[in-house]
Amino acid sequence: MTDRRPGIAAFDALSGDAAYRAVLGCCSSPGFARSLVAGRPYRSVEALLDAADEVLAGLPESELDLALAGHPRIGERPHSAASAREQAGVAGAADAVRAALAEGNRAYEERFGHIYLVCASGKSGEELLALLAARLRNNPETERRVVRTELGKINRIRLRALLAERS
């Protein structure tokens, strides 16, 4: 199936450097950005998103760590407009929920050695806190798989937004 919507056509037409910077704005793993840009042209939005999932699945742990470094802690000041939109549900959370998220973030980082990453879009502070509490019970291997899944969800949201900007 070919879906040459303006957004995907515009993305495919970007210079290599411009496309790399655009993808890096979605996911801060240089390896992810390089691989996704190298796969152009994409014939549809779904082809791009499927390729993003495939690239993410094959990223080495060091690149996953670089991707995580591009995300703020849940409940802290967002690094970008995308992070602010994604964490909008935390903005109105009660002080007690925000404090519990901060404490949970500390416990999570101590247990797993990286930030708590979750696709926060459409979730309240209370929901994010409950997810954090549940994920603290995971073993490290399970949690690393969950992190990849959550990063994939975030990447898809951000890539769709990137394409919409170019429509």
Side-chain angles (χ1 to χ4, degrees), residues 107-114 135-140 143:
Y108 182 96
E109 288 177 32
E110 184 176 302
R111 175 158 167 68
F112 297 112
H114 56 80
R135 286 180 50 193
L136 278 166
R137 294 189 293 269
N138 286 342
N139 65 47
E143 187 54 25

Side-chain angles (χ1 to χ4, degrees), residues 5-11 14 18 21-23 25-26 45 80-83 85-86 157-167:
R5 292 186 183 164
I8 196 70
F11 175 72
L14 289 173
R21 286 190 308 275
V23 174
C26 297
V45 173
S80 66
S83 291
R85 280 190 305 275
E86 293 160 4
I157 289 167
R158 290 182 176 186
L159 287 167
R160 283 186 188 280
L162 172 71
L163 296 176
E165 291 169 6
R166 288 167 168 42
S167 292

Side-chain angles (χ1 to χ4, degrees), residues 7-81:
I8 196 70
F11 175 72
D12 283 344
L14 289 173
S15 71
D17 287 343
Y20 174 80
R21 286 190 308 275
V23 174
L24 203 57
C26 297
C27 178
S28 62
S29 159
F32 176 85
R34 277 191 303 274
S35 293
L36 207 58
V37 170
R40 295 181 308 157
Y42 294 101
R43 299 291 178 221
S44 68
V45 173
E46 280 308 312
L48 171 66
L49 298 177
D50 289 347
D53 292 344
E54 187 175 315
V55 169
L56 177 60
L59 278 184
E61 293 298 314
S62 59
E63 286 290 326
L64 184 61
D65 290 337
L66 292 171
L68 290 171
H71 291 271
R73 288 176 182 90
I74 296 294
E76 289 190 358
R77 183 182 176 98
H79 296 161
S80 66

Side-chain angles (χ1 to χ4, degrees), residues 64-130:
L64 184 61
D65 290 337
L66 292 171
L68 290 171
H71 291 271
R73 288 176 182 90
I74 296 294
E76 289 190 358
R77 183 182 176 98
H79 296 161
S80 66
S83 291
R85 280 190 305 275
E86 293 160 4
Q87 290 196 36
V90 177
D95 289 342
V97 170
R98 294 175 71 80
L101 278 168
E103 181 56 36
N105 281 331
R106 281 189 289 279
Y108 182 96
E109 288 177 32
E110 184 176 302
R111 175 158 167 68
F112 297 112
H114 56 80
I115 67 160
Y116 161 56
L117 184 78
V118 62
C119 183
S121 294
K123 294 178 179 72
S124 69
E126 292 84 0
E127 289 172 299
L128 294 168
L129 183 58

